[in-house]
Amino acid sequence: MRVTTAAEMRELDRLAIDTYGIPGVVLMENAGAQVARILWQEFPELSTRRVAVLCGQGNNGGDGFVVARYLHNASVSVRVFIVGEPENIRGEARTHLQMLMRAGIAPQAVNTPESVQAVCAQLPHYDILIDALLGTGLKAGVSGFLQQIIGAMNASGRPVVAVDIPSGLSADVGTLLGTHVQAHLTVTMALPKQGLLLYPAAEHVGKLVVVDIGFPA
């Protein structure tokens, strides 16, 4: 099995975009579409479920916006939460945020103590939670509002599906960076990150599914 570090995956992204001319917005579209496909595969009754997609301000959140759009287009009841400031979202993630909003989904910003408390209380009322908060570049422990949201996700009793990597895990060395998502299913892009296969992090990945997002062979 081939595995990759976070730095190697960033280089694969760069090569796909700069050398092969595949736009980053297309790679992000492919990533979110594949996560949505796996959701239908793993949850056949998805059309009757309520889904919450929890997004960060980076590219992992951008993947989450695509997932939400695909679910919404398939008439799934989906709600999107952005933990942080929506105006700080840039690049491909912002493009997909705008597409999501044009499709009829208005994400809720979670950026005050009151909004965090409200969302934490709501999470047990959803059937599936999508973790699109933090990606493979995380180096330090999770804190603040993200820490509270992740704690509430774990305590909700609902299945959590992680996009690329459970938030709070190291992509490289398999360590737990403080508070972290305890995923039931992780859909990772292109190649498994070695941190997903190393303990103790591997115990929190759940079922691991690797999907193709269109990187050249």
Side-chain angles (χ1 to χ4, degrees), residues 30-206:
N30 293 348
Q34 287 281 41
V35 174
R37 179 181 67 82
I38 298 300
L39 283 169
W40 281 106
Q41 179 179 299
E42 297 292 324
F43 301 96
E45 302 300 322
L46 192 59
S47 61
T48 64
R49 308 289 182 92
R50 298 183 68 228
V51 180
V53 184
L54 296 111
C55 299
Q57 299 175 130
N59 286 342
N60 199 244
D63 294 342
F65 300 147
V66 179
V67 175
R69 177 162 50 84
Y70 272 80
L71 296 183
H72 175 70
N73 288 344
S75 300
V76 176
S77 175
V78 61
R79 186 76 181 275
V80 179
F81 301 96
I82 298 174
V83 183
E85 303 295 338
E87 58 267 26
N88 291 339
I89 297 172
R90 298 285 183 266
E92 290 89 357
R94 183 156 196 86
T95 298
H96 280 292
L97 172 59
Q98 292 168 342
M99 292 169 66
L100 177 69
M101 295 174 69
R102 289 170 186 152
I105 293 285
Q108 176 182 331
V110 185
N111 51 19
T112 66
E114 294 76 19
S115 61
V116 171
Q117 185 176 15
V119 171
C120 288
Q122 292 175 35
L123 293 184
H125 300 290
Y126 291 91
D127 299 302
I128 302 169
L129 307 180
I130 309 298
D131 165 29
L133 293 169
L134 300 167
T136 58
L138 185 68
K139 301 296 183 185
V142 179
S143 60
F145 293 158
L146 283 167
Q147 184 178 37
Q148 293 175 255
I149 292 291
I150 290 173
M153 292 171 72
N154 292 337
S156 68
R158 301 303 184 186
V160 179
V161 178
V163 176
D164 206 22
I165 187 171
S167 295
L169 300 189
S170 166
D172 292 338
V173 294
T175 56
L176 308 174
L177 299 172
T179 301
H180 58 278
V181 166
Q182 298 171 17
H184 296 74
L185 168 68
T186 298
V187 183
T188 200
M189 313 309 166
L191 292 167
K193 289 68 188 172
Q194 63 186 23
L196 297 172
L197 306 177
L198 299 174
Y199 288 88
E203 295 180 319
H204 303 271
V205 171

